[in-house]
């Protein structure tokens, strides 16, 4: 069975400093992995996805994530935080070819001026 | 083109009443999904439709929940005899079969008094 663990429920960083949101997954097969962002009172937006191509995946708004099979991790990073990055971030897994997404509990990112 | 739309955006109802939530997927997307997001939590899968195949109902929490889809178009999620624990945001997503990246609607916030 698939599962996702987001290791931090809340991360707070200063504007201009790096962001790291941690995610570990469990999957029986080759997984597809995603990061979604949810701004207050807005819908979920896809940031990036990994589907067995390059292990370093670049997404929108300067975010990227690295798939590390040996560590079963898919951490999300950004070199320099911006105030507009404040939102809830979800790490998501699905088995290759499967349709169901399994969501982590979310990490709330706060950006301090 | 237009994204996934959902209606109503907010619904307040009394315990015991039935409610219907509507989802209009992106045109051409054959797959449609319903999820539930309780306050401060990640998304829970409810049901998945793919073309004319039998829907995957494995996530529906009780027989009070049902969903229908008209061809490859609109879907309606019905909750009968609502309970206070049904209060949540109900999100709809749609996708192509391949790639199966899911695009989410803005959600319907259901409050059961």
């Amino acid at each position: 069975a698939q599962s996702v663990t987001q290791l931090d429920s809340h991360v707070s960083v200063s504007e201009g400093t790096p962001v790291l949101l941690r995610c570990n997954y469990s999957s029986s097969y080759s997984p597809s992995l995603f990061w979604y962002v949810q701004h207050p009172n807005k819908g979920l937006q896809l940031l990036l996805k990994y589907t067995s191509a390059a292990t370093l995946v670049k997404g929108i708004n300067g975010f990227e994530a690295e798939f590390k099979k040996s560590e079963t991790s898919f951490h999300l990073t950004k070199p320099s935080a911006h105030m507009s990055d404040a939102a809830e971030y979800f790490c998501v897994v699905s088995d290759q070819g499967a349709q169901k997404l399994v969501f982590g509990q979310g990490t709330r990112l706060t950006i301090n001026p | 083109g237009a994204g996934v739309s959902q209606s109503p955006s907010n619904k307040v109802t009394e315990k015991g009443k039935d409610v219907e939530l509507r989802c209009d997927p992106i045109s051409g997307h054959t797959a449609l999904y319903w999820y539930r997001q309780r306050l401060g939590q990640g998304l829970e899968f409810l049901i998945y439709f793919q073309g004319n195949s039998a829907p995957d109902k494995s996530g529906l929490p009780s027989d009070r929940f049902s969903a229908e889809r008209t061809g490859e178009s609109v879907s309606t999620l019905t909750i009968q005899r609502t309970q206070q624990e049904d209060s949540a945001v109900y999100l709809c997503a749609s996708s192509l079969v391949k790639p199966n990246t899911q695009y989410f609607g803005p959600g319907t916030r259901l409050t059961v008094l």
Side-chain angles (χ1 to χ4, degrees), chain A residues 49-68:
Chain A
K49 64 177 180 179
Y50 165 78
T51 54
S52 78
T55 56
L56 183 62
V57 182
K58 293 187 183 299
I60 61 171
N61 301 335
F63 284 94
E64 61 182 38
E66 186 171 8
F67 173 69
K68 292 187 177 181

Side-chain angles (χ1 to χ4, degrees), chain A residues 27-91:
Chain A
S27 177
S28 302
Y29 305 102
S30 298
S32 294
L33 291 157
F34 309 79
W35 277 96
Y36 280 85
V37 61
Q38 187 175 39
H39 287 93
N41 300 315
K42 291 190 178 180
L44 282 159
Q45 181 182 21
L46 180 67
L47 272 181
L48 51 80
K49 64 177 180 179
Y50 165 78
T51 54
S52 78
T55 56
L56 183 62
V57 182
K58 293 187 183 299
I60 61 171
N61 301 335
F63 284 94
E64 61 182 38
E66 186 171 8
F67 173 69
K68 292 187 177 181
K69 186 174 181 178
S70 61
E71 299 177 10
T72 60
S73 70
F74 190 59
H75 302 334
L76 182 70
T77 61
K78 181 172 180 177
S80 176
H82 191 273
M83 295 300 291
S84 61
D85 295 329
E88 189 90 14
Y89 291 79
F90 293 97
C91 183

